[in-house]
């Protein structure tokens, strides 16, 4: 999996405010804003990321994974107009003995010019992820691409109306992040349906030394 940009809305202190030092940021359910505020609505999505050491192939237990993505309306909490005071759809988890983290969220919308995606950063520990020194060592920064067929199913539901036209105007080949290789190493495996929600998973290789 290639490294990718964290984008303009990371919320990790590198571009504006830092959510990683907020109380409650270590969590599995990304839908509510921290300390009150709005809870993001949308088709349920649970996504699992498994982190492995590239040199050994072994699961990397105890790593910190920070994940964030836009709402079904295409808004990023902390940044987008109308969502600046929200902190929904952001959170940190520690990988288990199998190197896996699981986040409960909603399916992200598609905004103009970008393929539907989820951002993540991998740190060597949760403590490193939430450190307040502003110099947190990041092991991996990349993005997860979501399959077109699933996006089309989700975007046919209420609340995702703007995503329909936006998805039609972009492809994995033309996306400015995934376009180099069509997202072949970043495309999640996904199962489920609109009624019961979706489950996505992806393996991530990192260099530990």
């Amino acid at each position: 999996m290639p490294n990718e940009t964290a984008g303009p809305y990371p919320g990790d202190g590198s571009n504006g405010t830092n959510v990683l030092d907020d109380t409650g940021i270590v969590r599995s359910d990304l839908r509510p804003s921290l300390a009150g505020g709005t809870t993001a609505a949308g088709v349920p999505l649970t996504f699992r990321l498994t982190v492995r050491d590239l040199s050994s192939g072994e699961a990397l237990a105890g790593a910190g994974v920070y994940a964030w993505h836009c709402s079904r309306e295409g808004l990023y909490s902390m940044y987008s107009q109308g969502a600046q005071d929200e902190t929904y759809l952001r959170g940190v988890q520690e990988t288990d003995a199998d190197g896996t983290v699981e986040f409960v969220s909603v399916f992200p919308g598609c905004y103009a010019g970008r393929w539907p995606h989820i951002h993540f950063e991998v740190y060597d520990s949760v403590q490193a992820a939430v450190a307040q020194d502003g110099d947190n060592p990041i092991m991996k920064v990349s993005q997860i691409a979501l399959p077109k067929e699933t996006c089309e199913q989700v975007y046919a539901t209420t609340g995702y109306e703007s995503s329909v036209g936006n998805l039609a105007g972009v492809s994995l080949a033309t996306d400015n992040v995934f376009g180099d290789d069509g997202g072949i190493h970043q495309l999640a495996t996904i199962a489920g349906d609109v009624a019961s929600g979706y489950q996505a998973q992806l393996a991530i290789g990192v260099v530990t030394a």
Side-chain angles (χ1 to χ4, degrees), residues 28-40:
S28 59
D29 190 345
L30 306 184
R31 294 170 294 183
S33 284
L34 301 172
T38 299
T39 295

Side-chain angles (χ1 to χ4, degrees), residues 105-129:
S105 194
V106 297
F107 204 94
C110 180
Y111 53 90
R114 279 303 322 273
W115 188 263
H117 60 282
I118 297 171
H119 297 263
F120 68 87
E121 296 173 346
V122 180
Y123 298 79
D124 61 9
S125 68
V126 166
Q127 290 71 30

Side-chain angles (χ1 to χ4, degrees), residues 78-140:
M78 305 172 64
Y79 294 91
S80 298
Q81 183 68 35
Q84 298 97 325
D85 296 330
E86 306 292 349
T87 50
Y88 53 63
L89 306 180
R90 299 177 183 275
V92 175
Q93 279 281 284
E94 181 177 69
T95 57
D96 62 16
D98 296 322
T100 299
V101 292
E102 179 177 289
F103 293 100
V104 177
S105 194
V106 297
F107 204 94
C110 180
Y111 53 90
R114 279 303 322 273
W115 188 263
H117 60 282
I118 297 171
H119 297 263
F120 68 87
E121 296 173 346
V122 180
Y123 298 79
D124 61 9
S125 68
V126 166
Q127 290 71 30
V130 301
Q132 299 184 34
D133 56 15
D135 189 27
N136 308 358
I138 302 175
M139 302 171 67
K140 187 79 174 179

Side-chain angles (χ1 to χ4, degrees), residues 16-47:
T17 56
N18 185 4
V19 75
L20 295 179
D21 58 8
D22 284 10
T23 300
I25 192 61
V26 180
R27 58 181 182 162
S28 59
D29 190 345
L30 306 184
R31 294 170 294 183
S33 284
L34 301 172
T38 299
T39 295
V43 171
L45 172 68
T46 298
F47 60 96

Side-chain angles (χ1 to χ4, degrees), residues 9 39 52 69 83 101 117 119 126 147 157 166 171 180 194 196 208:
Y9 313 121
T39 295
R52 294 190 174 277
H69 63 82
V101 292
H117 60 282
H119 297 263
V126 166
T157 66
N166 291 335
S171 70
D180 289 347
V194 167
S196 60
T208 59

Side-chain angles (χ1 to χ4, degrees), residues 108-192:
C110 180
Y111 53 90
R114 279 303 322 273
W115 188 263
H117 60 282
I118 297 171
H119 297 263
F120 68 87
E121 296 173 346
V122 180
Y123 298 79
D124 61 9
S125 68
V126 166
Q127 290 71 30
V130 301
Q132 299 184 34
D133 56 15
D135 189 27
N136 308 358
I138 302 175
M139 302 171 67
K140 187 79 174 179
V141 182
S142 197
Q143 299 179 27
I144 306 164
L146 298 169
K148 181 179 181 180
E149 296 82 359
T150 307
C151 293
E152 289 175 336
Q153 293 167 9
V154 173
Y155 297 163
T157 66
T158 301
Y160 288 94
E161 290 83 1
S162 64
S163 294
V164 175
N166 291 335
L167 183 66
V170 68
S171 70
L172 280 167
T174 61
D175 183 76
N176 62 9
V177 170
F178 302 125
D180 289 347
D181 57 9
I184 188 170
H185 299 297
Q186 294 156 277
L187 193 62
T189 300
I190 198 162

